[in-house]
Amino acid sequence: MKRVLITSAIPSVNGVKHLGNLVGSMLPADVFARFCRARGYDTLSICATDEHGAPIELAAAEDGIAVKEYCDKWHAVQKDLGDRFGLSWDHFGRSSSPQNRALTEHFARALWKNGLLEVRTTKQAYSATDGRFLPDRYVIGTCPHCGYDRARGDQCENCTRVLDPIDLIDPRSAVSGARDIEIRDSQHLFLKQSKFVDKLRAWIAGHVHDWPVLVTSIANKWLDEGLQDRGITRDLEWGIPVPDDIAGGQLKGKVFYVWFDAPIEYIGATKEWADKNSLGDDAWRDWWYGDKAKDVTYFEFMGKDNVPFHTIIFPAMIMGTGEPWKLVDRLKGFNYINYDGGKFSTSGKRGLFMDSALEILPADYWRYYLMANAPESSDSNFTWEHFAGVINKDLADVLGNFVNRVTKFCVARFDGKVPSEGVYGEDENALCAELDRRVAQYTDYLEALEFRKALGELRAIWVAANEYITRSAPWTHFKNDRAQAAVGIRMGLNLVHLFGHLAWPVMPNAARAIHHAIQDSPPVIPWPDEPMKEFLDQLEPGQAINPPDVLFAKITDEQVADWQLRFGGMGES
RNA sequence: GGCAGCGUAGCUCAGUGGUAGAGCAGGGGAAUCAUAAUCCCUUGGUCGGGGGUUCAAAUCCCUCCGCUGCUACCA
């Protein structure tokens, strides 16, 4: 059986994610995972919260709670929102887990043993008032180039020049405002990325045809600019401590850089999953390690900001262990979705976040819209008018109304049972032939991770059903040829049944409601692989149906106006 | 500054050498089962500007303009 491993870039634990975060990683990963399960593949879908890094430490401090407590709280919130969005992870882990700590230590030891890590002394900003080293971006001061007085230590926002905290005039702590910034020596571990350039280049060259241009161009850009060795430890309290047996204990009290342990958490979370279900070590290792994992196809989903970490640093780490860990096979990167012409912003609370999205509409509305307009070839733009137009036309009018008109007619004229009279003729054969093509195309697009095109094809399938029922016109035939009307409605009901199957990866709840109009559905609604002539002729005549209530309520102009007001935006960023 | 992506119909986007496309919006018609939902026909573009290669360019090359992103301690 085909084995498919799916990971989505792990979201930072701090706060509720916005729709931009969702559309580039978690949502497409879930649509694909559901599709794979529907096709009967052996599928493992993994995500987690990324719980390390200076911003998280500082956010906890701001809330006046311990970092552990902060992470517990927001992990639970994100898990709950994921569940409510229908994200069907096999496991939603935590990068702070003991499993990830053990694996991170393992990776570091293997890299150390292979001579691919080295200790270097770096100059770091330190504030005695804060009692801590400050990451570059947490030192602010006056830009030496343009005089902007709130330049960050890593870059001046005003003139965009890249800076070093040492360059700043009148430097101060962004945490406390303290001015006692001094530069101290600090020792850190560096990953000798420069040793991997040729290997990485060859590996990436092998994927120019199955990765998006976006991904290979970002990866090659990093290689072309020359890979610098990268610091993989930080002077922080919260994180995975560097074990004493590395570098003779010189790094006591330091933790690994968040981007060192975060990708390892894909593996860590898989071990968490195995442990939680008492499956034993082989259960997780067979997905990731050695010969048993060779038949696994590994898919990663992420926004473009994550691409360098997944095409350069993490692969270098894996290659550097010299151990047979799985490298990604298919890397799907996404651009950004903008909100009313500006950026989504977590800190600026601009845009639409997962919790408020669910307050106003069910998850499936968002799932459909976001995948149908996924930012695959370039950034895309969310506007309330466009959103309402798509939902109303595609979901309410084309799909929802089809289900409604067919089931209502069946109740009114055929006693709410699948009619038995008549036999399929030329029109039905032609429809089956068309749907054979279209369903195959839809399937191919999903296999190819072309979500926007896939959903366009799904929509075309719904349109084909409306065209058929118009040609078939059972409401006309009913008056003098009941058998002819029965054929149209029987096919109509079979089409509704088909829609329940086809929509499930994208809209699991709506798909279930549609399927329920015909009959109960299994937990995983399987993919309709058989010829349409068979699939669309399988409902038992005489079987009772359950006409649903309105499946998709239309969005009114008043709602659009209300939401625009409530969620701000309107072009300002 | 450097690099990358993008620029095609009013809007959102397909289209990598061979007669400019889809959906939505707009216009006309049909139908009346249905959430006034559907179906058919249709208006609409010198493919960001300019130059070049070619029998042929939205597509390849050069150049300019615009938007967006990245630029390694924000993930």
Side-chain angles (χ1 to χ4, degrees):
Chain A
M1 190 197 303
K2 193 164 170 177
R3 300 173 71 206
V4 177
L5 173 63
I6 298 163
T7 64
S8 105
I10 67 176
S12 171
V13 77
N14 60 338
V16 173
K17 300 294 106 177
H18 54 62
L19 297 187
N21 299 124
L22 187 66
V23 73
S25 52
M26 295 179 277
L27 180 55
D30 186 66
V31 170
F32 186 64
R34 286 177 180 274
F35 168 70
C36 289
R37 292 190 199 109
R39 297 212 81 186
Y41 303 157
D42 189 9
T43 307
L44 189 69
S45 167
I46 293 292
C47 192
T49 39
D50 171 14
E51 307 197 348
H52 295 139
I56 289 163
E57 243 187 32
L58 294 167
E62 207 165 292
D63 287 5
I65 57 176
V67 189
K68 170 81 168 67
E69 198 184 325
Y70 177 89
C71 291
D72 288 348
K73 171 184 156 188
W74 286 107
H75 173 84
V77 168
Q78 292 203 24
K79 172 75 170 78
D80 174 59
L81 284 169
D83 289 344
R84 285 159 57 202
F85 248 97
L87 304 178
S88 60
W89 304 299
D90 289 291
H91 186 68
F92 186 61
R94 306 181 60 174
S95 69
S96 63
S97 69
Q99 289 89 343
N100 193 41
R101 177 170 175 160
L103 279 158
T104 300
E105 290 176 355
H106 172 87
F107 268 76
R109 286 192 179 107
L111 290 165
W112 177 256
K113 192 186 78 191
N114 292 338
L116 294 165
L117 300 182
E118 71 179 19
V119 179
R120 291 187 191 171
T121 302
T122 61
K123 305 276 185 200
Q124 292 257 246
Y126 183 88
S127 162
T129 304
D130 296 344
R132 62 183 299 154
F133 283 97
L134 296 169
D136 291 354
R137 68 183 306 237
Y138 288 109
V139 180
I140 55 175
T142 302
C143 173
H145 304 290
C146 72
Y148 179 60
D149 67 352
R150 293 196 51 83
R152 293 192 324 222
D154 54 346
Q155 184 177 33
C156 175
E157 282 178 336
N158 189 49
C159 67
T160 75
R161 294 231 209 185
V162 176
L163 301 174
D164 210 282
I166 302 169
D167 303 334
L168 291 174
I169 298 160
D170 187 25
R172 52 199 188 274
S173 163
V175 179
S176 62
R179 286 169 192 273
D180 58 345
I181 304 289
E182 52 183 285
I183 304 300
R184 289 192 180 179
D185 283 351
S186 182
Q187 296 203 301
H188 285 289
L189 278 177
F190 276 72
L191 173 65
K192 297 185 194 171
Q193 289 190 130
S194 44
K195 300 231 182 242
F196 294 93
V197 172
D198 294 342
K199 271 183 111 166
L200 287 169
R201 199 182 285 283
W203 176 62
I204 288 158
H207 285 293
V208 289
H209 297 300
D210 56 10
W211 290 358
V213 177
L214 175 72
V215 170
T216 50
S217 64
I218 291 174
N220 281 322
K221 185 200 127 203
W222 276 56
L223 294 172
D224 291 345
E225 288 179 355
L227 273 193
Q228 294 169 29
D229 296 339
R230 183 161 189 132
I232 59 156
T233 52
R234 293 291 183 271
D235 291 292
L236 297 172
E237 302 282 320
W238 174 249
I240 297 178
V242 180
D244 285 350
D245 55 300
I246 290 178
Q250 289 179 77
L251 297 151
K252 216 174 177 47
K254 319 235 166 185
V255 300
F256 287 106
Y257 170 44
V258 54
W259 267 111
F260 188 76
D261 69 73
I264 296 173
E265 169 62 5
Y266 295 142
I267 308 172
T270 311
K271 180 158 164 40
E272 292 169 42
W273 161 79
D275 290 350
K276 184 174 141 198
N277 297 294
S278 306
L279 300 172
D281 274 346
D282 285 349
W284 67 268
R285 213 175 272 134
D286 289 353
W287 285 100
W288 284 102
Y289 192 88
D291 289 342
K292 290 274 187 57
K294 277 191 177 150
D295 67 339
V296 172
T297 309
Y298 175 25
F299 293 78
E300 286 179 354
F301 293 82
M302 70 196 68
K304 59 183 166 184
D305 51 341
N306 270 253
V307 167
F309 301 97
H310 290 79
T311 53
I312 305 289
I313 303 168
F314 188 40
M317 286 161 55
I318 286 174
M319 290 170 179
T321 61
E323 296 167 348
W325 295 101
K326 195 97 195 146
L327 284 168
V328 63
D329 295 300
R330 297 288 306 281
L331 198 162
K332 178 72 175 181
F334 287 85
N335 287 285
Y336 292 147
I337 185 161
N338 290 316
Y339 179 81
D340 255 335
K343 278 178 80 171
F344 274 91
S345 162
T346 305
S347 53
K349 304 227 185 301
R350 181 173 192 282
L352 193 56
F353 292 75
M354 284 172 75
D355 51 356
S356 29
L358 288 177
E359 276 170 28
I360 60 175
L361 287 171
D364 285 340
Y365 288 51
W366 300 108
R367 290 178 62 111
Y368 177 81
Y369 176 83
L370 291 171
M371 294 320 299
N373 296 283
E376 289 177 312
S377 62
S378 63
D379 291 355
S380 69
N381 191 33
F382 176 92
T383 65
W384 287 102
E385 291 89 347
H386 188 240
F387 173 70
V390 169
I391 296 301
N392 289 347
K393 188 70 187 174
D394 292 4
L395 295 187
D397 295 348
V398 177
L399 173 60
N401 181 57
F402 179 82
V403 174
N404 201 20
R405 68 198 295 205
V406 169
T407 53
K408 287 266 173 66
F409 192 89
C410 176
V411 167
R413 304 296 192 193
F414 291 101
D415 196 23
K417 293 179 175 143
V418 178
S420 58
E421 300 100 307
V423 290
Y424 284 174
E426 232 171 79
D427 222 7
E428 286 70 28
N429 289 341
L431 174 68
C432 287
E434 179 184 357
L435 290 184
D436 277 331
R437 283 196 307 277
R438 290 199 180 277
V439 171
Q441 183 64 262
Y442 177 47
T443 307
D444 288 347
Y445 280 141
L446 285 174
E447 287 281 1
L449 311 177
E450 299 266 9
F451 294 100
R452 217 173 166 127
K453 288 178 180 169
L455 267 65
E457 198 59 45
L458 179 60
R459 196 198 118 93
I461 290 168
W462 301 335
V463 169
N466 276 304
E467 289 169 4
Y468 165 78
I469 208 74
T470 300
R471 282 196 306 272
S472 174
W475 46 87
T476 305
H477 289 301
F478 187 80
K479 295 163 193 158
N480 44 31
D481 185 353
R482 189 182 154 95
Q484 191 56 43
V487 166
I489 289 303
R490 191 161 69 249
M491 176 56 91
L493 293 170
N494 273 285
L495 286 165
V496 170
H497 180 225
L498 174 68
F499 295 168
H501 286 251
L502 293 178
W504 185 72
V506 181
M507 300 182 285
N509 291 321
R512 203 165 288 290
I514 292 167
H515 197 281
H516 182 74
I518 305 300
Q519 56 197 219
D520 288 338
S521 53
V524 171
I525 302 184
W527 203 245
D529 283 320
E530 52 269 60
M532 285 298 117
K533 203 160 179 186
E534 288 171 31
F535 193 94
L536 294 174
D537 197 13
Q538 62 174 279
L539 295 187
E540 205 57 47
Q543 176 205 314
I545 62 158
N546 325 290
D549 295 330
V550 167
L551 286 164
F552 300 99
K554 287 214 199 197
I555 296 169
T556 63
D557 291 347
E558 289 71 32
Q559 284 176 306
V560 168
D562 178 35
W563 294 335
Q564 278 172 333
L565 206 61
R566 179 167 160 199
F567 297 105
M570 309 305 291
E572 298 299 319
S573 61

